[in-house]
Amino acid sequence: MASSDKKTHMLFNRFGLGVTSHGFKSLGSDPLTACLAEISATSAIITDPTLPTTARAIQIVSEIEEKRRLARAAQRNLAQGVSQPPVAPPTNAGMSSPPTPAPPPPPDPDELRLQDVFFAEMGARFRHGLAQPVGFTERWVMFWSNHFCVATRRGPIMRSTVGVYEREAIRPHVFGTFSDLLIAAESHPAMLHYLDQRQSIGPNSPAGQRRQRGLNENLAREILELHTLGVGGGYAQADVTNFAKVLTGWSITGNEENLDGFGGFTFAANRHEPGPQTVLGKLYGQSGQEQGLAVLRHLATHPSTAKFIATKLARHFVADKPPPALVARLEQVFRNTNGNLAALAKSLITAPESADAPFTKLRTPMEFLLATYRATGEKPERWQQLNNALNLMGQPLWNPAGPNGHPDDIASIAAPKAIKTRLDLALQFARPLGGKHDPRALAEAVFGETLSTETRQAIARAETRPQGLALLLMSPEMQRR
C-alpha cells in the first residue's frame, strides 16, 4: 500500500466526508495541508439570501397559526348560522348500500410551506458538504450541531428553525472559542424553545409572584450534563436549581415585546429571579442577563468541560474507546488555549494517535449519504427521498430522540436492521447508475492502493454493474472511518 494513498485515505475518511470522484489526485501532493486549510473562520458559513433568518422562520409559523385560527373561527360562525340539513330516508327499504368512502383531505398548504423551509435548509447543508475539498469543516460542524442539538419533533417552531439555528448559532463559532459557541447555542431561540426555557420564571420575580409559576430546569440541567461538564463533572442538584434561577428571563421576543418583528432573543427582566446565586461553589452577584453569561463563561473553561469535550471529540472521530494519550492531548490544548476550537481541531488532525488508530468507527447515516454522492459525483435533487433515507437508517436530520443527540458508537450504527437498511439503500442508489459508472474503475479512482484485495475481487465478480457499485458503497473502505 502506497504511504501517500494511506495517509490521504485516513484524512478523507477519518476527518472528512470521503474521497471525491476525482480521486486522490484532487488534493495534490500534500493532503494534510488541504485538510488543515479548512480550519478557517469562513469555511463553515453558509451564505444564501433565500434562506430565512430565525425571526422570519418563527414569523412564518406565527402567520400559519393565525391563518388557521381565523379559519377555525370562520367555521364556527358558519356552523352557528346554518342548521343541519334533514337526513334523507333510504330509497330501498330493507336494503343497505355500502357507505361511500370519504375523499382524502387535500394537502395542507401550510404544512407544505414549513416543509419547503426544512428542505431548503437541508439542501444548503448537503451542497456545502459536497463542495468541500476534504469535508473536515462539515464533519466538525455536524459534531457541534449534534452536541448542541435541537429537534424538529418539538413542533412547528422547531421544524422551521433547526436549519437556521445551525447556520446562525453553530457555524459562525465552530472555529472560534468554545465560550462564544456555548453562549450562541444556549441563547438561540431554537434552544430556548426546545428546552422549554420560556416557561421558566423566577419564583420571587415580579412575574413569578403574580402568576404563581416557578422554575423549569431543563436548560440548566442539559448545559451542565450534556454541553459542558458532563455526567460526573462535579455538579449537584443544588447547582442545577441555582443555575436555573440564573437563567430565568432568557426568552424569545413575542408580539407583546416587538410588534414589527419577533422571534429573537430577549431578556425578560420581570421573570428573572433576583439576587446572587451560587453555582459550583462560585457566587455570582451580577444582575440580569450578565449573571447567566458569567456562569456560561466559567463553565466554558472549567477543567471538567475540557476533559468532557476532549473525550467526546476523540470518541467521535477516532474510536469508541479512544486512545488515552489522544484524550489527554486534546484536554491540554483545550485548557491551554481557553477553549480555542481551531487549535483543538488542528491538534486532533495532526495527533499521531489519530493517524495510527485502526478504522473501527462506522460512518453515520448522514456521512454515508454524503460520501456516496462525493464518490460517484452525482448531484442530489430529491430532498424528500434523502430525508426518508435518513429516517430509515434511524437518524432523522435535526431530529434526535433526546437532547444527547444522535449516537455515533458502532453498537448503535451497526445494528443488523440499520446495516440491512444501508444495503437496501445502496442497491436503490446503484440501480439507475449502472450504465454510467464502471464500479471497478471508480473503486480504483476513489481508493487507489488502499483498496483491499477482497473488495477488489468482490466488485470484479459482481454479475452486473449496479451490483458492483452497491458492493463498493457497502465495502469496508467506504463504510469505515
Side-chain angles (χ1 to χ4, degrees), residues 286-311:
Q286 296 86 347
S287 60
Q289 183 184 349
E290 284 302 315
Q291 193 177 51
L293 293 174
V295 176
L296 288 175
R297 293 189 186 105
H298 176 63
L299 290 173
T301 57
H302 195 280
S304 293
T305 298
K307 184 176 182 179
F308 179 61
I309 296 300
T311 303

Side-chain angles (χ1 to χ4, degrees), residues 236-249:
Q237 175 57 41
D239 297 308
V240 176
T241 300
N242 290 345
F243 189 22
K245 293 177 181 178
V246 168
L247 292 173
T248 50

Side-chain angles (χ1 to χ4, degrees), residues 356-372:
D356 296 340
F359 289 117
T360 58
K361 300 284 291 187
L362 282 184
R363 284 194 164 111
T364 66
M366 175 59 81
E367 293 165 7
F368 170 53
L369 290 180
L370 283 163
T372 294

Side-chain angles (χ1 to χ4, degrees), residues 32-326:
L32 178 60
T33 297
C35 192
L36 293 174
E38 292 189 11
I39 303 175
S40 72
T42 59
S43 62
I45 304 297
I46 292 178
T47 304
D48 186 340
T50 67
L51 296 175
T53 63
T54 296
R56 179 57 190 146
I58 294 178
Q59 287 170 8
I60 289 173
V61 176
S62 180
E63 291 167 5
I64 289 172
E65 290 177 346
E66 177 64 12
K67 187 163 65 174
R68 291 177 177 174
R69 185 188 69 79
L70 294 174
R72 288 193 299 268
Q75 288 177 346
R76 285 196 300 270
N77 293 337
L78 182 63
Q80 292 170 359
V82 179
S83 60
Q84 293 293 328
V87 178
T91 55
N92 298 317
M95 298 181 63
S96 61
S97 58
T100 304
D108 185 344
D110 295 334
E111 179 61 29
L112 292 177
R113 189 180 183 189
L114 283 181
Q115 193 176 69
D116 290 342
V117 173
F118 178 84
F119 287 137
E121 295 283 3
M122 180 183 184
R125 187 199 223 228
F126 223 94
R127 288 188 293 269
H128 196 72
L130 294 177
Q132 292 176 7
V134 178
F136 173 71
T137 293
E138 202 62 14
R139 285 284 310 283
W140 193 250
V141 167
M142 289 192 291
F143 170 84
W144 289 112
S145 183
N146 193 56
H147 179 77
F148 293 106
C149 73
V150 295
T152 60
R153 68 180 69 251
R154 292 303 306 274
I157 286 181
M158 296 311 307
R159 189 163 180 81
S160 70
T161 59
V162 286
V164 67
Y165 162 73
E166 185 178 277
R167 285 189 292 110
E168 290 183 352
I170 305 299
R171 290 182 179 275
H173 304 287
V174 290
F175 292 124
T177 66
F178 182 73
S179 178
D180 288 346
L181 175 59
L182 177 67
I183 291 171
E186 310 304 354
S187 62
H188 193 276
M191 182 67 75
L192 298 177
H193 182 82
Y194 175 55
L195 293 177
D196 303 316
Q197 180 59 23
R198 288 189 297 177
Q199 300 175 17
S200 187
I201 299 176
N204 297 307
S205 68
Q209 292 179 334
R210 185 173 65 251
R211 302 184 191 181
Q212 297 298 305
R213 290 173 58 188
L215 296 174
N216 184 299
E217 296 183 350
N218 288 355
L219 180 61
R221 185 180 305 281
E222 305 310 354
I223 290 175
L224 294 172
E225 179 179 324
L226 299 176
H227 299 167
T228 58
L229 307 179
V231 177
Y235 66 91
Q237 175 57 41
D239 297 308
V240 176
T241 300
N242 290 345
F243 189 22
K245 293 177 181 178
V246 168
L247 292 173
T248 50
W250 288 44
S251 191
I252 306 170
T253 53
N255 282 326
E256 66 276 12
E257 289 95 0
N258 188 342
L259 292 173
D260 296 323
F262 57 96
F265 173 85
T266 187
F267 179 76
N270 68 324
R271 303 181 193 175
H272 182 64
E273 179 71 8
Q277 302 294 338
T278 300
V279 181
L280 299 175
K282 182 178 175 64
L283 183 67
Y284 293 89
Q286 296 86 347
S287 60
Q289 183 184 349
E290 284 302 315
Q291 193 177 51
L293 293 174
V295 176
L296 288 175
R297 293 189 186 105
H298 176 63
L299 290 173
T301 57
H302 195 280
S304 293
T305 298
K307 184 176 182 179
F308 179 61
I309 296 300
T311 303
K312 191 170 181 180
L313 278 169
R315 184 186 299 127
H316 174 79
F317 281 94
V318 178
D320 287 351
K321 294 182 178 179
L326 176 60

